[in-house]
Amino acid sequence: AHPKFGTILASCSFDGGVLIHRETRPLDWQILYAGRQLHESSVNSVSFCPPEHGLMVAAASSDGRVSVLAHQPDNSWSIEYIQDNPLGVNAVSWAPAGAYHDGSSSSSVRGAAAAGNGESASEDSPRLVTGGCDNRIRFWVQDLSSGQWVEDASSPVSKDVGHTDWVRDVAWAPSVMPNVNMVASCSEDRTVLIWTQTGPNEEWKATLLHTFDAPVWRVSWSVTGHILAVSSGDSNVALWKKGIDGKWYQMDSVQEENNPVQEG
């Protein structure tokens, strides 16, 4: 979690549970919250939200659901469930705070019917992206008035390019340009896709980053959102960067950038 909340760690396990730990003093960890049997199957991924939304954790499970745990003022934890897909959810990632903020008052509401059911979504609404065993990614938004999570149908996902096997990981890139969002997804089909949305209510469109020699397990963005790390089943970790021509290039070494590990 963000340091403003203290030294807090979330863990998940095959038994369907999520534990939230706090370091009370160096090397002394205590369980802050025990969500045992939170899910009916393995929990595959946990992720803390941006600190602007408070202390919340999302957990993706093989039972097809995503649970969202939110810390309350009385030190209890509320639980909301997202019904994703029946085949299972492998990964979850939060949108960065301000992902849909461009500084104009007209952007304060991103249209009605966020999920086709009449609910609206503010630019400040928490958002998630998930990757599942149905080979798809999905975008979710929380309605701030009701607290319910709904699929963000106002921003459809293009079907022109997609995965053909389980999506193993998703990663929402840090915001670089106002109202331009990127999400990386990787799959057992050996591909990494870069999904780009160029404005509120616009379609998410995918481009192929690369087809690897083995299934791809994890993707992770640098802090600035300019470099993507990709780990695959052949024990390799590759760093990729987008060129000024809009194409993605594999970096030969970390040293070719001016110490990118620290800057990124």
Side-chain angles (χ1 to χ4, degrees):
H2 192 275
K4 68 180 289 185
F5 301 112
T7 306
I8 297 178
L9 174 72
S11 62
C12 59
S13 61
F14 186 78
D15 63 3
V18 174
L19 300 181
I20 300 176
H21 317 259
R22 168 178 283 165
E23 189 179 33
T24 55
R25 58 179 182 268
L27 303 181
D28 185 6
W29 290 84
Q30 296 182 357
I31 295 179
L32 188 63
Y33 174 78
R36 304 187 188 279
Q37 297 181 336
L38 198 64
H39 288 273
E40 299 173 358
S41 190
S42 171
V43 180
N44 305 312
S45 174
V46 288
S47 178
F48 281 101
C49 75
E52 291 84 354
H53 300 315
L55 184 57
M56 288 197 294
V57 178
S61 172
S62 294
D63 67 6
R65 297 180 297 168
V66 176
S67 58
V68 180
L69 310 177
H71 184 259
Q72 302 300 314
D74 61 357
N75 284 329
S76 64
W77 291 79
S78 65
I79 305 173
E80 295 285 344
Y81 285 100
I82 301 171
Q83 188 63 52
D84 192 284
N85 80 90
L87 298 181
V89 190
N90 294 318
V92 60
S93 179
W94 293 85
Y100 291 96
H101 180 70
D102 63 4
S104 65
S105 59
S106 61
S107 67
S108 59
V109 176
R110 290 185 58 234
N117 60 0
E119 297 184 61
S120 63
S122 163
E123 65 179 14
D124 298 322
S125 298
R127 286 176 168 80
L128 291 170
V129 60
T130 58
C133 298
D134 61 349
N135 311 341
R136 292 181 54 189
I137 69 169
R138 287 180 171 86
F139 292 89
W140 303 88
V141 61
Q142 185 183 35
D143 181 78
L144 294 180
S145 60
S146 68
Q148 298 296 311
W149 287 86
V150 291
E151 192 165 0
D152 191 0
S154 65
S155 300
V157 178
S158 172
K159 297 181 180 180
D160 294 340
V161 179
H163 291 293
T164 59
D165 208 333
W166 288 12
V167 178
R168 281 297 182 177
D169 199 14
V170 287
W172 201 311
S175 294
V176 177
M177 298 177 60
N179 277 328
V180 176
N181 286 284
M182 285 195 305
V183 168
S185 63
C186 65
S187 169
E188 290 196 36
D189 64 10
R190 302 184 294 117
T191 67
V192 171
L193 299 179
I194 305 295
W195 302 83
T196 304
Q197 185 191 44
T198 56
N201 305 315
E202 296 295 326
E203 187 178 51
W204 286 90
K205 296 182 179 180
T207 57
L208 176 66
L209 174 81
H210 186 67
T211 300
F212 293 80
D213 296 329
V216 188
W217 301 113
R218 292 290 181 266
V219 284
S220 179
W221 293 98
S222 65
V223 175
T224 59
H226 292 104
I227 299 172
L228 180 69
V230 180
S231 64
S232 50
D234 53 5
S235 304
N236 285 330
V237 177
L239 299 180
W240 293 78
K241 185 173 183 179
K242 190 176 184 179
I244 58 175
D245 58 358
K247 297 181 180 180
W248 289 84
Y249 297 93
Q250 184 174 349
M251 301 167 60
D252 292 333
S253 67
V254 171
Q255 287 72 27
E256 80 172 22
E257 277 285 307
N258 184 16
N259 201 3
V261 173
Q262 294 183 6
E263 295 183 0

